[in-house]
């Protein structure tokens, strides 16, 4: 999430793409807007700052081309309908911000382009998400192309407010692709989100946390931190594995050395009854497993079983 951390500099935007690619990310995302269609000009301080941060549609076409030359997916968040129309020529995915996840007119315009859509769920509760889904399904938009991100719309998000278990809640409730948009300080929440089932991790990215007094730099990952985040997330994703419980391939190699078998503690003669004082349960696994002990107790030995020899079912 480069967002507006370029602060209106095309040169810096391009440099951020380059640094993001070196960090190993899959995609870069910007925000695209016409200030007058986004914020009221009565808020002069905010209006002037955002006006300064604007990039032209031509800039975004060039940035998209550059990102794709780095083998990155190019995404942007349109913050007005005209920007959505302009972006359709250059984005691979659209993103809807938490602030606009109830701006159904904008969402319906984006859905009309038939491209994958990522929607942050900050500022929404369960019923708000249900209403949002109704808008999406009304257009018969394929749900496999919709991704919801658990998000807390605070900057930065305090640890006690992150509520990462919401990722699992959303997965279980809606049976769809769920990710995480991280506004916490540091990268730990992004790594943990993978364990809860996040399929997308979005993290703000900056060239320098102290680049300016613009709020987003402080809660963003710098290039070094992003590299660590990507490596950790990919490792966490591998560790997550599949939604099942089975004996792994490498576990099978260890099974014989780690499991116990039934062995003769003393010599057991033919015709002699097998009792607990005559057997021992020790490694390695060789014959009968330790949970089969009831199958042989009080049975007569059919042949001689020497001390420390495994007890086979055929011997009983």
């Amino acid at each position: 999430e480069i967002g507006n951390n370029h602060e209106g500099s095309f040169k810096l935007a391009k440099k951020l793409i380059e640094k993001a690619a070196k960090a190993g990310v899959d995609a870069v995302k910007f925000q695209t807007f016409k200030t007058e269609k986004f914020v009221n000009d009565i808020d002069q301080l905010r209006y002037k700052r955002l006006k300064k941060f604007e990039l032209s549609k031509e800039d975004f076409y060039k940035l998209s081309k550059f990102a794709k030359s780095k083998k990155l997916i190019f995404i942007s968040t349109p913050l007005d309908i005209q920007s959505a129309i302009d972006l359709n020529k250059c984005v691979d995915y659209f993103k809807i911000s938490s602030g606009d996840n109830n701006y159904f007119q904008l969402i319906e315009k984006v859905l009309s382009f038939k491209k994958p859509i990522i929607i942050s769920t900050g500022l929404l509760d369960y019923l708000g998400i249900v209403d949002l889904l109704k808008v999406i399904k009304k257009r018969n938009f394929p749900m496999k192309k919709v991704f919801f991100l658990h998000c807390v719309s605070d900057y930065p998000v305090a640890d006690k407010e992150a509520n990462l278990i919401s990722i699992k809640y959303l997965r279980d409730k809606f049976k769809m692709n769920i990710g995480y948009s991280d506004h916490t300080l540091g990268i730990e929440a992004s790594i943990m989100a993978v364990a809860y089932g996040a399929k997308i991790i979005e993290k703000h990215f900056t060239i320098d946390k102290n680049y300016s007094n613009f709020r987003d730099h402080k809660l963003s990952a710098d290039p070094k931190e992003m590299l660590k985040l990507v490596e950790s997330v990919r490792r966490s994703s591998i560790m997550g594995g599949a939604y099942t419980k089975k004996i792994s391939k490498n576990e099978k190699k260890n099974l014989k050395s780690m499991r116990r078998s039934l062995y003769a503690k003393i010599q057991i003669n033919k015709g002699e009854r097998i009792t607990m004082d005559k057997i021992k349960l020790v490694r390695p696994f060789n014959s009968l497993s330790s949970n089969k002990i009831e199958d042989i107790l009080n049975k007569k030995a059919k042949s001689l079983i020497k001390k420390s020899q495994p007890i086979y079912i055929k011997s009983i």
Side-chain angles (χ1 to χ4, degrees):
E1 163 73 271
I2 292 170
N4 290 314
N5 280 345
H6 52 76
E7 297 196 17
S9 166
F10 177 81
K11 184 178 179 182
L12 179 55
K14 195 172 178 181
K15 187 174 182 181
L16 282 162
I17 291 174
E18 192 168 24
K19 293 285 186 181
K22 286 181 179 178
V25 304
D26 297 305
V28 288
K29 189 189 82 67
F30 290 84
Q31 292 180 9
T32 307
F33 55 89
K34 298 294 181 186
T35 308
E36 63 274 13
K37 296 178 183 294
F38 179 36
V39 296
N40 195 334
D41 58 8
I42 199 169
D43 185 352
Q44 279 292 305
L45 190 64
R46 189 181 188 196
Y47 189 91
K48 287 179 180 178
R49 185 184 66 192
L50 287 172
K51 198 69 182 170
K52 177 188 169 188
F53 288 0
E54 271 188 35
L55 292 173
S56 69
K57 64 180 180 181
E58 288 77 20
D59 287 334
F60 282 109
Y61 296 158
K62 291 174 185 175
L63 290 172
S64 173
K65 187 175 180 181
F66 182 66
K68 289 169 185 175
S69 75
K70 299 292 182 182
K71 304 197 183 315
L72 297 175
I73 296 167
F74 188 76
I75 307 170
S76 192
T77 300
L79 296 170
D80 58 83
I81 289 174
Q82 185 57 53
S83 291
I85 294 167
D86 293 340
L87 282 171
N88 189 41
K89 298 177 183 177
C90 67
V91 295
D92 301 299
Y93 288 60
F94 278 98
K95 169 78 190 297
I96 298 295
S97 73
S98 290
D100 286 334
N101 56 28
N102 69 343
Y103 184 8
F104 295 154
Q105 189 179 9
L106 173 63
I107 292 170
E108 287 180 341
K109 173 55 73 173
V110 169
L111 291 172
S112 73
F113 299 132
K114 306 296 184 185
K115 290 187 175 178
I117 182 171
I118 301 168
I119 305 177
S120 281
T121 60
L123 308 176
L124 287 179
D125 58 12
Y126 173 79
L127 292 178
I129 295 174
V130 169
D131 287 341
L132 173 58
L133 277 170
K134 287 176 184 176
V135 173
I136 297 169
K137 291 177 179 179
K138 184 176 70 175
R139 298 193 68 96
N140 294 316
F141 195 84
M143 291 308 296
K144 66 181 180 181
K145 292 169 69 174
V146 180
F147 302 81
F148 281 180
L149 304 187
H150 166 55
C151 176
V152 178
S153 296
D154 196 13
Y155 307 89
V157 172
D159 290 356
K160 65 181 180 180
E161 297 290 333
N163 208 49
L164 296 178
I165 202 166
S166 287
I167 297 165
K168 186 176 186 307
Y169 175 81
L170 293 173
R171 286 186 69 199
D172 291 345
K173 283 288 184 181
F174 298 107
K175 311 297 182 189
M176 59 183 293
N177 301 307
I178 304 296
Y180 178 52
S181 179
D182 184 7
H183 296 152
T184 65
L185 298 176
I187 63 174
E188 292 81 6
S190 288
I191 298 166
M192 288 177 64
V194 178
Y196 285 107
K199 298 300 181 185
I200 294 175
I201 298 295
E202 178 185 78
K203 181 73 175 176
H204 284 254
F205 182 57
T206 183
I207 202 76
D208 182 347
K209 290 175 182 286
N210 297 308
Y211 183 79
S212 77
N213 63 1
F214 176 47
R215 175 198 67 190
D216 284 10
H217 293 296
K218 291 291 185 185
L219 59 87
S220 299
D222 60 23
K224 185 177 180 181
E225 202 171 26
M226 184 59 77
L227 176 62
K228 185 178 179 183
L229 185 152
V230 170
E231 290 173 345
S232 298
V233 163
R234 296 210 191 287
R235 190 175 178 209
S236 296
S237 184
I238 292 168
M239 287 179 173
Y243 192 70
T244 185
K245 182 66 178 87
K246 61 182 181 180
I247 301 172
S248 76
K249 182 179 178 181
N250 286 332
E251 267 189 310
K252 289 176 182 177
K253 296 176 185 177
N254 298 324
L255 195 147
K256 187 171 183 179
S257 66
M258 293 180 67
R259 286 296 194 195
R260 297 171 188 263
S261 266
L262 302 178
Y263 291 85
K265 189 175 182 181
I266 58 174
Q267 179 171 298
I268 302 172
N269 297 314
K270 180 179 178 181
E272 195 175 339
R273 288 193 182 278
I274 297 175
T275 53
M276 278 298 299
D277 60 332
K278 297 173 183 174
I279 59 176
K280 56 184 178 181
L281 287 75
V282 292
R283 297 180 180 184
F285 176 76
N286 197 313
S287 54
L288 293 173
S289 64
S290 55
N291 61 358
K292 299 295 184 182
I293 193 165
E294 296 297 329
D295 293 349
I296 67 164
L297 281 177
N298 297 313
K299 299 283 180 69
K300 290 182 178 180
K302 291 180 180 177
S303 58
L304 174 69
I305 306 172
K306 293 182 180 179
K307 179 182 176 182
S308 296
Q309 291 300 302
I311 300 174
Y312 297 102
I313 197 69
K314 64 182 181 181
S315 304
I316 308 304

